[in-house]
Amino acid sequence: MSLRQKTISGLLWSALSQGGKQTSQFVITAILARILSPSDFGLVAMATVFTGFAMIFSELGISSALIQKQHVTEVLWSSVFWLNLGVGSLLTLFFFMVAPWIAAFYKQPALTAILQVLSLNFIFSSFTIVQQTVLTREMNFRSLMIRDITAVVVSGLVGVILALRGWGVWSLVIQSLVFTGINGLLLWILSPWRPQIIFSFKAIKDILNFSVHVTGFQIVNYFARNVDQLLIGKFLGSQALGYYSLAYKLMLLPLQNISWTISRVMFPAFSRIQDDLVKVKTNYLRLMKAASLISFPLMITLFFVAPEMVRVFWGIKWESVIVLIRIFCFCGMVQSLGTNIGSVLLSQGRADLQLKLQILGTAVVTVAVFLGLHWGIVGVALLYTIQSILWVHFTFYIVNKQIALSYGDFYKSFYKSYFIASIMFVLGIILKNTLILADLQWLVLLPAFYAGLLFIMLWVMKEIKLENGKLKIGLIQ
């Protein structure tokens, strides 16, 4: 199979994976939100700020280095496996010890036991990092799709059953452990690779320069993406964090389904053609155009159906998240583009530049969040979004220089996306202020109307056309 065929196949399987996974997560979260309280979600969000940060160290950026590297030996694969297992075990032990201090930081004694149980995820996940990397490097996204959807559905059902039985916040904790366990079991079944009893520090040392910069970026990037939740949990409490984290996760659903799906496939694809800048630029522009033409309309749709979605799926007790979701929709539009630039930088071996950009960006977002705290969670969401919009355009300028891409050519790929989003936004305001419909009617009719409008506009713009009796989509040609 050619690289083009592998890329298209990978995009389709990855899209199916993300679509199925995110749909399942949406339904499961909606059920859990009706059973559990915002404080339950807030407690888990407090814990995962720290466990998610530590998870970066269990992987050490080596997966990206293995994908980017042209030739990988069996000695290196096995050495990485044993290194990950050792680091995962140490992280579990570390969190058992520091959990009381983290609980004291938040002034939430219940967090001690929650953190200690969640720390078992480090050991579980360390068994599967190499298996996942092997499948990703081979662009075997069909197997990853089976793993993703099965783990989400099984763990979600366990969480719902426990919540109905009155387990409260522990239903979310056990759900997380079951997800990691099922995820690991399926990776071992689906991946043919098995570790050998080999360890070579010399082999690992050969990729350390790249992986250290990737790890540094991941650390700084994680802080940038979670400093808002860390500070909200500390200064505004678990209930406010529960509202905020749910709104942020909802914004991420379209983002994960589109941009993260694409970038997940394009990193190994770009790595294969890293020395051909013409091909890199061509595919990068096509990637950004596709991401924007899909994610911009999705975010506009979410903006207008947010009130009805919250009332129907989560209930009246979550109405405080509506304004947050609407603010985050504009954040999601720019993040849907910004998440893709990492694929280009890493494929070019510029993990060092990615790290430098993220350090500066983290300083900017931290200041924005601190200022936003003065106006509560709405202030944080608003300033977080403003800085995201400004920052992403600066990163475009830096990244485009790396592949000799002009600003004019770059922004030409977006004008159709901005035009379509603007039309949809204006029509949304008109429709919402002239029609009186029930919540369920809005949830069905408005997305259907927007989907039809998007298809027509893409047809008129010749992004979709009929050739030889077949529908041709220009975005994936």
Side-chain angles (χ1 to χ4, degrees), residues 59-85 129-131 133-134 137 193-211:
E59 197 270 336
L60 296 171
I62 291 176
S63 292
S64 295
L66 292 173
I67 294 171
Q68 196 271 343
K69 191 175 177 63
Q70 296 285 15
H71 304 288
V72 182
T73 65
E74 180 56 43
V75 173
L76 180 54
W77 284 120
S78 294
S79 298
V80 168
F81 175 85
W82 297 115
L83 176 64
N84 287 335
L85 183 58
I129 292 172
V130 172
Q131 276 79 3
T133 304
V134 170
R137 180 181 169 87
W193 184 86
R194 295 294 181 268
Q196 298 181 13
I197 310 300
I198 304 171
F199 184 84
S200 170
F201 181 74
K202 182 178 181 299
I204 292 175
K205 189 177 179 181
D206 289 340
I207 59 173
L208 276 182
N209 184 55
F210 186 91
S211 65

Side-chain angles (χ1 to χ4, degrees), residues 3 80 117 119 121 142 231 241 274-275 279 284 288 298 319 343 354 409 471:
L3 177 60
V80 168
V117 173
S119 70
N121 279 327
R142 177 181 177 276
L231 296 177
L241 180 56
Q274 57 187 273
D275 297 324
K279 283 187 178 179
Y284 173 54
M288 299 296 271
L298 278 175
E319 281 195 324
S343 300
Q354 187 184 40
D409 289 339
L471 196 65

